[in-house]
Amino acid sequence: MNSNARLEAKGTDTSSVSEPLKKLAQDIADGKLKAANKRRAAISKQWEGDGAASQQDKDDFRVLCQKLQELNDWQGFATRPKRVELCQRMEVLAAEPAIPPAEKAKAIKELQDAWRDLGPAGTRDAQRLWGRFKAASDTAYQPCAAHFSRQQELRLQNVTERERICSYLEAFEQGNDWDHPDWKALANIINKAGIEWHKYADVPRARQKKLHKRFDRISSCLQARLSDEQNRNHEKKSALIKQAQACNESDDLPVTKSIETIKNLQEQWRAIGVTDRRRDQKLWKAFREQCDLAFAHRDEARTQQKARIQQQRDQTSTLCRRFNESLHNGEVDSVSLKQFQQAFDEAQSGTRDQKALKEYKQLVSRARVTIKRSVESSHRQVLAEVKRKASLCTRLEHGVINESQAEADWEGEVDLAPTLLQRLDSRRAAVADIKECDLNSNREAAELLCVQLEILAGLESPPEAARTRMQYQVDRLKRELSLGQKDHRSPTERAEELFLAWYCLGKLPEDTKDLTGRFRRAEEKLFGVI
């Protein structure tokens, strides 16, 4: 069996074939000519070095080399037309001087990439074509190389120029007298440096970042100093605009004084230093408008002010007249008083009419007296109604009247709060079920109520109530000091609560007339005769 047949027979069993030959055979079978050619060269070099290959491996290797050569020949035959075409296109490119160097370099690279995609030039014909293609490539690239060389020189010059700009700015920053700077000169330097910097923009990429960082640092430093001064000047001009605006909006400033003020502001404006041009244009426009309106706006404002004052006078006069009528008719309460005060404040906003203000104060004073009297009268009516209903309950509890009589006289002309009415209804309803324990409980509650009311009225309690009074005061101090439960109600509010608690308490034992007498005395001192 010859070597070729032996390798074909080993297609399914390659255990007896050496590993390098096995991989070479696999590359050939897979059509990987580039990898196969490299592996063939490696095997040849290895065997030449150590001579360890057997005769059979050498025979097998020769067979594989023959197959590889056949494939290389076939590939060279298949790709030859394309290689010839690439050579012709490259020669045309080399012969055309009008193509810009950058564009020509790009076209050269595209043709070279297309050549590499065709695979290795394994045949003599392919090698000859490669020589032709390489010579045309070198010729075509010559003007590109010269262009890129000049471009590189220019970029290096631009680097030098940019370094010069940075050095100048850094030296200026370090050597300038910042206590007495020439801000206009600084603005010109920054502007000119920016223009020159962009002029030398084409620099090698490797140098761009460092140069930009250096320029940004020094230019930002100078710009920050300039911006601070510009902002200060902008604020000065904004302040002048506000002063001019205030001058125009003033209603009390004489015309001659207004004109004098505007001229003074214009002088100050011209003395202000460097500013940002675009922002300064907006500021000047606003300032110019205020100057132009110095006379026209003043006349208009005076006319409007006079009309507004007259309108306020008419409005406040109407408010006072209507409120006086309501006060005369007894239709004023705390709500209507508050509404009148709010309406008057709104009508008088900005300007105070002393005559109207005097009338307003008199009306408010009268209204407060009237409201106070009305509240006191209504309050006493409530207390009197509570006392009347409590009297019915007392007569019912002692059998003086029956339930029918109490029911007939129960409703009165004064409306009581629902919770208070419920407490009185509960006392009346409890008459039928009152027990001895309830009487004793009511006695204790009545004793404590008398003590509390006597304390509020500034009266002394009888000796037999001294212990109860002392215990109450101790408990009150404990709540206030230890527990923080301080009663923030006024003495009048607390007295009224005790008043209501007494009359809603319920039946008392027969021997409690002394308690009733004590309560009456304290009640009369606090509330008078109800």
Side-chain angles (χ1 to χ4, degrees), residues 122-134:
T123 64
R124 290 183 178 179
D125 184 60
Q127 289 292 334
R128 183 183 61 80
L129 289 173
W130 164 245
R132 175 185 172 185
F133 181 80
K134 179 67 167 59

Side-chain angles (χ1 to χ4, degrees), residues 323-506:
F323 188 75
N324 187 40
E325 292 174 356
S326 299
L327 190 61
H328 181 73
N329 296 330
E331 299 172 350
V332 173
D333 56 15
S334 58
V335 175
S336 60
L337 174 59
K338 185 175 182 180
Q339 291 174 346
F340 170 66
Q341 290 173 314
Q342 290 177 345
F344 187 87
D345 287 341
E346 291 176 0
Q348 285 283 296
S349 62
T351 303
R352 287 292 182 180
D353 186 344
Q354 296 301 321
K355 183 178 178 181
L357 188 60
K358 182 179 179 180
E359 182 181 4
Y360 162 78
K361 290 180 179 179
Q362 292 174 348
L363 289 172
V364 170
S365 178
R366 286 173 52 199
R368 285 173 177 168
V369 172
T370 301
I371 292 170
K372 181 179 180 181
R373 290 174 180 173
S374 176
V375 170
E376 289 176 351
S377 175
S378 176
H379 196 59
R380 292 185 69 82
Q381 290 176 3
V382 169
L383 296 179
E385 179 64 12
V386 170
K387 197 169 182 180
R388 188 187 71 80
K389 280 184 166 58
S391 177
L392 288 174
C393 291
T394 301
R395 294 166 65 193
L396 181 62
E397 290 162 354
H398 290 84
V400 178
I401 60 174
N402 57 32
E403 177 61 32
S404 298
Q405 292 173 316
E407 178 66 26
D409 295 335
W410 188 254
E411 294 298 330
E413 296 181 356
V414 179
D415 294 331
L416 300 180
T419 55
L420 180 57
L421 186 59
Q422 183 180 6
R423 292 170 67 184
L424 292 168
D425 287 338
S426 298
R427 176 181 176 181
R428 177 181 145 196
V431 171
D433 298 328
I434 195 164
K435 299 180 179 60
E436 187 66 27
C437 62
D438 296 331
L439 294 177
N440 294 331
S441 176
N442 289 345
R443 177 200 294 274
E444 294 177 0
E447 174 71 25
L448 183 58
L449 288 172
C450 284
V451 167
Q452 291 175 282
L453 204 61
E454 286 166 345
I455 292 174
L456 286 174
L459 298 175
E460 292 291 335
S461 300
E464 61 271 17
R467 182 174 181 180
T468 303
R469 182 163 177 157
M470 178 62 70
Q471 185 62 44
Y472 166 73
Q473 290 176 321
V474 170
D475 292 341
R476 185 182 65 180
L477 288 173
K478 181 179 179 181
R479 288 194 303 272
E480 292 179 355
L481 300 178
S482 300
L483 303 179
Q485 299 174 354
K486 190 173 182 179
D487 191 348
H488 296 285
R489 295 176 300 172
S490 66
T492 302
E493 291 174 333
R494 284 183 281 172
E496 290 176 358
E497 178 60 31
L498 296 173
F499 177 93
L500 298 176
W502 175 274
Y503 286 109
C504 295
L505 182 60

